[in-house]
Amino acid sequence: MATLAAAPWFRARLIPELKNRQSLLYCRGDHSYRQSLCSRRRSFSIYASAGNGGDVRVRFAPSPTGNLHVGGARTALFNYLYARAKGGKFILRIEDTDLERSTKESEEAVLRDLSWLGLAWDEGPGIGGEYGPYRQSERNALYKQFSEKLLQSGHVYRCFCSNEELEKMKEIAKLKQLPPVYTGRWASATEEEVVEELAKGTPYTYRFRVPKEGSLKIDDLIRGEVSWNLDTLGDFVIMRSNGQPVYNFCVTVDDATMAISHVIRAEEHLPNTLRQALIYKALGFPMPHFAHVSLILAPDRSKLSKRHGATSVGQFRDMGYLPQAMVNYLALLGWGDGTENEFFTLEQLVEKFTIERVNKSGAIFDSTKLRWMNGQHLRSLPSEELNRIIGERWKDAGITTESQGIFIQDAVLLLKDGIDLITDSEKALSSLLSYPLYETLASAEGKPILEDGVSEVAKSLLAAYDSGELSGALAEGQPGWQKWVKNFGKLLKRKGKSLFMPLRVLLTGKLHGPDIGATTVLLYKAGTSGSVVPQAGFVTFDERFKILREVQWESFSTDVPLSAGAVTH
């Protein structure tokens, strides 16, 4: 367990401050206590700025009560980038004091998602470090130690108010249109009153004495100067009656005893800074730098939530997103390097990142742009890695019999421009292997092809296949196809769109797709290499030409719809 004496940072930095600080007299009833913040009038004005001029140490402190939200992931990323850019340390701390909602499964999921993003922590769960433990649930003795220190110094007092009394205070404040702050019932209690309640075994909390006048200001690295009037706060609880510490107290003790130099977190924590700053000063801890990052917003500018679709890192991973694309996109939500460049590796982000360029306005989460960016990153992968990722996906999906080889390489090369997510690759290959000829001919888009004499092209194509001419050409690959299609066009006196559109429909069953030559060669390979699983919906060339022979072209020449039976081929 970390203690004041055990941590070398405190020996070097904190203890001299404690010796040199000014000690003022604080009055409570007819008892006097020594403390450093409050005068007899319980009034002061302080400007909270970092007293920490040493090594950069930042932390990401998730609560393991659910999945890692993209907002939390961006906070972790900014902390990581700042630490790496400054040659400092990135600490991971698990804030699991919510015992009812915290689970081991959630903690493991958070650690897995951070690792997947490539945000390796220098200290924390699984690694350890000089300032552990790194789970709040294992640091209770430390919180107890510092709460007693505050009690002895007079910054904290025991409050014996019942829940009913507290509710009544809130009701009265509401009627008077005042903030629901604690009225200080036990702030001025005598020692005899306290001893009497302790003897009766009355439950009590620890409340922090907040000066009744004055203000507190911080110099936020993103937002500039932020200030609060102290009369809006009221004395607040730091230890519950069951002995469990309150969030703001835990965070302050943890950040101080872990020597955190910069607290980079979401703007929703900004109101917590007032309480934490008061605790820092009361304990004599140097104040860290604060930087509050704006929230990530949905397209309607509301707070991003589940109703807007996927919001957790794990969901995006399962949907087929790459970690490097997620990192790149999250970094751009509120930050930029001042240029038009939008594509960065993690290493480049470390090189470019500065906290001064983080925008204080909210960032809109655009799932369409994230998908596009993922496609750019996917296609920029080395060909060997791209082939491996997509090849494994196809085999796992039961489409191919292998995850590597010539067919996989050719298929990836042909289809990659239409793949933005890894999961898109399944649909792309399945579509290529299918043959929806009747549906295409029956569609409105198919009418111009019918009117252009596609039936005559079909007769010649059937003859070329039956003679073995087409198969022989395709066996030679792309050069064989190019030679054959040139001669075929001369035979039919067709070229350009008049030649290739009918061929595309007849060979692939579709009006659109990648290069028709490369597609036809790949379909031929699919039928001869054994690379495609028979149950994958692949229609072989033999089956395609059998369907072509059975087409009743005259049924397409009228406006009468095809029968249901006709379109099920």
Side-chain angles (χ1 to χ4, degrees):
M1 184 197 76
T3 63
L4 187 62
W9 180 74
F10 284 111
R11 285 198 296 270
R13 302 187 186 280
L14 178 56
I15 291 176
E17 273 203 25
L18 288 171
K19 287 180 179 178
N20 295 330
R21 64 186 175 137
Q22 184 182 7
S23 182
L24 303 175
L25 186 65
Y26 175 73
C27 296
R28 191 186 75 178
D30 51 0
H31 297 273
S32 297
Y33 297 87
R34 291 254 167 220
Q35 57 94 29
S36 60
L37 296 178
C38 303
S39 70
R40 293 179 186 272
R41 295 175 54 241
R42 294 186 70 185
S43 170
F44 71 90
S45 179
I46 60 171
Y47 193 91
S49 60
N52 216 338
D55 297 336
V56 167
R57 289 174 59 82
V58 300
R59 51 74 165 176
F60 177 57
S63 175
T65 55
N67 297 319
L68 180 62
H69 188 273
V70 291
R74 186 192 59 171
T75 299
L77 174 62
F78 283 1
N79 275 279
Y80 174 89
L81 294 176
Y82 190 77
R84 293 291 177 266
K86 297 293 186 179
K89 299 290 185 182
F90 174 52
I91 293 91
L92 178 62
R93 184 176 73 230
I94 304 298
E95 296 188 343
D96 58 351
T97 50
D98 188 343
L99 301 179
E100 292 184 1
R101 298 175 59 222
S102 296
T103 67
K104 191 67 177 174
E105 293 74 20
S106 289
E107 178 183 324
E108 291 171 353
V110 169
L111 301 186
R112 182 171 60 250
D113 289 344
L114 289 173
S115 297
W116 179 72
L117 290 171
L119 307 183
W121 52 98
D122 302 301
E123 300 173 25
I127 295 177
E130 188 178 352
Y131 297 86
Y134 293 91
R135 292 182 184 85
Q136 283 187 338
S137 59
E138 300 170 7
R139 298 172 65 84
N140 280 329
L142 196 63
Y143 307 137
K144 184 67 175 175
Q145 173 188 339
F146 283 106
S147 66
E148 292 300 324
K149 179 181 175 68
L150 290 175
L151 181 66
Q152 293 302 316
S153 67
H155 289 89
V156 158
Y157 59 89
R158 294 182 179 91
C159 173
F160 295 92
C161 286
S162 64
N163 290 333
E164 291 76 14
E165 289 177 293
L166 295 174
E167 284 301 319
K168 189 172 182 179
M169 289 180 198
K170 288 181 182 178
E171 290 174 10
I172 293 173
K174 186 176 182 181
L175 289 172
K176 294 181 178 180
Q177 296 183 327
L178 297 173
V181 297
Y182 180 68
T183 58
R185 160 72 177 82
W186 286 92
S188 58
T190 64
E191 188 173 343
E192 289 75 17
E193 290 175 312
V194 171
V195 171
E196 182 181 347
E197 294 300 322
L198 290 174
K200 290 192 294 186
T202 305
Y204 60 87
T205 60
Y206 278 9
R207 281 189 182 274
F208 188 94
R209 296 180 190 276
V210 178
K212 298 304 181 185
E213 300 174 10
S215 64
L216 183 141
K217 298 177 184 179
I218 65 165
D219 186 13
D220 191 282
L221 296 177
I222 295 173
R223 302 180 176 279
E225 186 178 287
V226 183
S227 63
W228 297 267
N229 289 326
L230 298 175
D231 59 7
T232 62
L233 183 56
D235 296 352
F236 57 89
V237 174
I238 66 164
M239 294 287 283
R240 299 182 180 90
S241 58
N242 63 1
Q244 286 296 311
V246 171
Y247 169 78
N248 281 299
F249 184 56
C250 294
V251 169
T252 307
V253 171
D254 288 341
D255 286 344
T257 56
M258 289 183 176
I260 301 302
S261 64
H262 295 73
V263 175
I264 305 171
R265 58 189 180 186
E267 68 172 332
E268 57 193 349
H269 288 289
L270 188 58
N272 293 326
T273 310
L274 173 55
R275 290 176 174 84
Q276 293 166 17
L278 291 170
I279 296 170
Y280 273 111
K281 291 296 182 181
L283 287 170
F285 289 137
M287 192 78 67
H289 293 278
F290 288 99
H292 288 89
V293 183
S294 294
L295 297 178
I296 296 178
L297 305 176
D300 62 1
R301 300 200 70 82
S302 64
K303 185 178 179 181
L304 188 67
S305 65
K306 292 179 181 178
R307 68 185 176 90
H308 299 108
T311 59
S312 74
V313 171
Q315 285 176 299
F316 285 107
R317 181 185 62 243
D318 294 342
M319 288 164 61
Y321 284 85
L322 296 171
Q324 51 268 51
M326 286 298 301
V327 163
N328 190 165
Y329 184 69
L330 289 174
L332 296 180
L333 291 178
W335 174 87
D337 71 342
T339 71
E340 296 296 318
N341 184 28
E342 291 188 304
F343 292 92
F344 301 93
T345 64
L346 186 57
E347 293 74 19
Q348 289 168 337
L349 287 170
V350 168
E351 181 183 339
K352 300 281 188 180
F353 185 81
T354 62
I355 201 73
E356 290 79 15
R357 293 206 62 86
V358 175
N359 198 321
K360 61 183 176 182
S361 60
I364 303 295
F365 191 90
D366 185 345
S367 56
T368 301
K369 183 169 183 178
L370 170 59
R371 182 186 178 93
W372 170 80
M373 181 168 282
N374 194 82
Q376 302 298 313
H377 276 276
L378 189 69
R379 288 182 283 278
S380 69
L381 290 174
S383 57
E384 297 81 5
E385 186 177 354
L386 183 61
N387 292 339
R388 176 186 60 78
I389 291 174
I390 295 181
E392 289 175 355
R393 187 80 189 190
W394 283 339
K395 187 179 181 193
D396 291 343
I399 302 175
T400 62
T401 59
E402 58 190 9
S403 61
Q404 54 185 338
I406 297 298
F407 176 79
I408 299 296
Q409 293 174 20
D410 290 347
V412 172
L413 183 63
L414 179 66
L415 299 173
K416 67 179 183 179
D417 286 343
I419 297 173
D420 286 332
L421 304 179
I422 297 170
T423 47
D424 291 348
S425 63
E426 296 174 31
K427 183 178 179 181
L429 184 56
S430 294
S431 176
L432 185 84
L433 298 174
S434 68
Y435 189 60
L437 177 67
Y438 277 86
E439 289 89 337
T440 298
L441 293 175
S443 68
E445 282 187 284
K447 190 174 182 180
I449 305 298
L450 290 166
E451 294 173 347
D452 192 34
V454 68
S455 59
E456 295 301 318
V457 179
K459 290 178 183 178
S460 298
L461 186 61
L462 278 165
Y465 186 73
D466 291 341
S467 69
E469 177 188 313
L470 178 59
S471 297
L474 294 175
E476 297 177 16
Q478 193 71 10
W481 159 265
Q482 290 173 347
K483 182 179 178 181
W484 175 85
V485 78
K486 183 177 181 181
N487 292 331
F488 188 70
K490 287 181 180 179
L491 176 68
L492 298 182
K493 295 183 174 56
R494 286 174 176 257
K495 61 182 179 179
K497 184 178 179 180
S498 178
L499 171 64
F500 289 106
M501 278 302 292
L503 280 178
R504 179 180 292 280
V505 170
L506 297 171
L507 291 169
T508 73
K510 307 174 190 74
L511 288 162
H512 310 284
D515 179 75
I516 179 60
T519 297
T520 306
V521 171
L522 186 65
L523 288 169
Y524 176 80
K525 287 181 181 178
T528 58
S529 65
S531 299
V532 177
V533 175
Q535 297 80 16
F538 174 46
V539 181
T540 65
F541 269 174
D542 281 346
E543 293 168 328
R544 291 174 192 232
F545 281 96
K546 181 181 177 182
I547 292 171
L548 271 180
R549 286 189 185 91
E550 297 173 353
V551 173
Q552 297 178 8
W553 296 102
E554 62 276 9
S555 66
F556 293 98
S557 62
T558 68
D559 293 331
V560 179
L562 289 173
S563 67
V567 298
T568 56
H569 283 77

